[in-house]
Amino acid sequence: MDTVLILDFGGQTCQLIARRLREVGVFTEIVAFDTPCTPELLKGVKGLIFSGSPYSVYEPEAPKVDPAYLEVGIPILGICYGFQLLTQTLGGKVKGQALKEYGRVPLRVLQPDPLFEAVGQGFQSWMSHGDSIEVLAPGFELVCESDHHPAAARHRSFKFWGIQFHPEVSHCEYGTLILSNFALGICGAKAEWSMDRYLELEGDKVKAQIGSRPVLLLISGGVDSTVAAVMLLKVLSPEQVHLMYIDTGLMRQGESKEVESILRTLGARYVHLVDAEERFLGALKGLEEPEAKRKAIGDTFIRVQEQEVALLNLSDYYLAQGTLYTDLIESGKGVGKKAKVIKSHHNVSSPLVEAKRRAGLIVEPLGMLYKDEVRLLGERLGLPESVIWRHPFPGPGLGIRILGEVTKDKCEILRQADGLYIVELKKRGLYRQIWQAFSVLLPVRSVGVTGDARDYGYVLALRAVTSKDGMTADVFDFPFKDLLEISSLITNQVKAVGRVTYDISSKPPSTIEWE
Ligand code: XMP
């Protein structure tokens, strides 16, 4: 498939470049900046993009690139640091600590250029740079400028372009158009990327990799593992696919049953449902401290997983995972290694996963997809909306939404209250506007009055946030009337809850979960 290869120099928005191009149908791959330029890597590659970076070209550890990329005759677009690196490498001059430009910066397009096709003579760009181009490299000519600095240049003979602004950021006017002018126009890449194509290619790959061996997938109830399961069922014979769902007793209302019934409807023959509630609640007994609870849940998960997988008696089997492209590039492939902020990972890797990885027996059928693409694939594969748009749910489940000690009774109370909350959000058309909503049971009781009697019930906190990726979050601007009605519904129907509050803290400084 025609591909645009992005070399990642650690820029914060590197992944957005890949997303924008996929949006216009061009397949993209991101590799670390120091990946050697080999014929194997360049198979199908029609264009190269050098990303931005937090470094200055003058810093001693500034990332450099294999010079062979400049010799292979493939069009190159340098973005921000990528432009500065191209300039420096080809004999121009970068000015360190120049006048900085951040945010929206108006630009003038000075002459017709295929990169700016249909952009017009001026537009609002988005900048984030300290260094800038002082002298263009020999053979380059200026195409676009800001009031202060060169903003874009092209080589007169080679297909090399450099831009100082960030077209991948949504605030950059014509950003997607400029990227697509590069990929489709200048590189001549075909827009071949679609979910159907992905299914076809990845399906063939999975089939070839697994052959007739068994494959085991642990289902969490979330969208990624469910889509991965359906994809395996689509391309392999149902006898090969073993799905295991560990019910920790810390799941949301109706979750376990719904997941099982969907998988069965979609043709799963072996759904191994493990009721591990007692093992998890046993491990949590007496624990109040958040980190101790998380550790107990993580350790129990690993133990239960090992015990239950051993009982299946599968030999020589593959382990499938619903890992996404973002997870892979952040961990395995070395991409992002020059990024200055490293995303924290919550997912526990178990000894089983590690052993299978070492043996080369891991299959990751969603490994080239972003989250929203997984949702699209889920729709294509016939999964219901309730699974595809389900809000994220943390591995430790309700265990970190019941503050203090976790007991079966408290799980029931929280499940019931949270179930009502979520159903109401859906009924009122609010669920899809919210990135994540849930309830938290506090280890506090307060006085109330029902009928003529005194009541002493739990306090429940409702949380609803908007976010892009969970790294930062804003409080959802909840319509007050809906909030009042939901609160009253919960206190009326869940006897043990005497008071409802709404959490109005953003992240940072708070986190999304309470523990
Ligand atoms: P925080 O609370 O850190 O949460 O702001 C950010 C996002 O991550 C989810 N989360 C977890 N997911 N295992 C997970 O798989 C965990 O231990 C975990 N802790 C938090 C949280 O629900 C939110 O979406």
Side-chain angles (χ1 to χ4, degrees), residues 82 125 132 220 257 434:
S125 74
S132 64
S220 69
K257 284 222 162 56
I434 297 170

Side-chain angles (χ1 to χ4, degrees), residues 294 344-348 391-397 400-401 435-436 438 463 465 469-473 507 510-515:
R294 275 176 179 269
S344 62
H345 277 260
H346 297 280
N347 291 341
V348 208
H391 289 172
F393 190 57
I400 54 170
R401 291 180 179 173
W435 191 77
Q436 194 173 13
F438 55 90
R463 187 96 164 112
V465 295
D469 50 14
M471 301 304 287
T472 57
K507 172 183 179 176
S510 303
T511 52
I512 297 179
E513 303 288 347
W514 278 45
E515 280 194 342

Side-chain angles (χ1 to χ4, degrees), residues 167-216:
E168 69 276 19
V169 172
S170 60
H171 307 296
C172 180
E173 224 182 339
Y174 300 113
T176 306
L177 177 64
I178 291 166
L179 286 171
S180 100
N181 282 343
F182 175 69
L184 299 171
I186 293 169
C187 305
K190 289 193 275 312
E192 298 172 305
W193 170 250
S194 71
M195 273 312 131
D196 289 334
R197 188 99 170 92
Y198 183 78
L199 254 180
E200 200 182 302
L201 289 175
E202 195 61 30
D204 288 348
K205 207 170 106 193
V206 168
K207 256 192 277 189
Q209 191 183 353
I210 297 185
S212 56
R213 294 212 227 168
V215 56
L216 169 69

Side-chain angles (χ1 to χ4, degrees), residues 83-274:
F83 182 20
Q84 294 160 7
L85 184 69
L86 261 182
T87 302
Q88 195 198 42
T89 312
L90 296 171
K93 190 154 189 262
V94 174
K95 189 169 183 185
Q97 300 298 310
L99 181 92
K100 296 180 165 92
E101 289 176 309
Y102 286 109
R104 284 201 173 84
V105 174
L107 300 184
R108 289 178 295 279
V109 179
L110 304 171
Q111 54 172 310
D113 184 89
L115 192 65
F116 294 96
E117 182 75 41
V119 167
Q121 295 183 333
F123 66 102
Q124 288 286 341
S125 74
W126 199 89
M127 297 269 189
S128 176
H129 68 109
D131 292 3
S132 64
I133 306 297
E134 189 169 15
V135 182
L136 294 177
F140 276 83
E141 59 187 342
L142 193 64
V143 176
C144 180
E145 63 179 8
S146 74
D147 283 346
H148 307 286
H149 301 296
R154 69 158 179 245
H155 198 280
R156 291 194 189 92
S157 322
F158 307 123
K159 290 189 166 185
F160 295 163
W161 271 259
I163 53 180
Q164 188 56 73
F165 58 95
H166 289 270
E168 69 276 19
V169 172
S170 60
H171 307 296
C172 180
E173 224 182 339
Y174 300 113
T176 306
L177 177 64
I178 291 166
L179 286 171
S180 100
N181 282 343
F182 175 69
L184 299 171
I186 293 169
C187 305
K190 289 193 275 312
E192 298 172 305
W193 170 250
S194 71
M195 273 312 131
D196 289 334
R197 188 99 170 92
Y198 183 78
L199 254 180
E200 200 182 302
L201 289 175
E202 195 61 30
D204 288 348
K205 207 170 106 193
V206 168
K207 256 192 277 189
Q209 191 183 353
I210 297 185
S212 56
R213 294 212 227 168
V215 56
L216 169 69
L217 172 71
L218 285 158
I219 300 280
S220 69
V223 59
D224 305 341
S225 60
T226 314
V227 172
V230 180
M231 183 150 168
L232 291 178
L233 289 167
K234 193 173 164 73
V235 299
L236 301 172
S237 117
E239 277 75 31
Q240 281 177 275
V241 183
H242 292 259
L243 305 175
M244 180 179 280
Y245 180 85
I246 298 176
D247 186 346
T248 57
L250 304 168
M251 311 307 285
R252 286 171 286 194
Q253 178 93 313
E255 189 156 25
S256 309
K257 284 222 162 56
E258 191 192 4
V259 172
E260 188 201 354
S261 92
I262 289 165
L263 291 173
R264 293 224 190 266
T265 322
L266 291 167
R269 191 149 309 165
Y270 301 121
V271 185
H272 308 283
L273 284 182
V274 179

Side-chain angles (χ1 to χ4, degrees), residues 348-361:
V348 208
S349 185
S350 71
L352 174 70
V353 174
E354 295 307 319
K356 285 288 178 190
R357 204 176 284 287
R358 277 195 302 275
L361 293 174

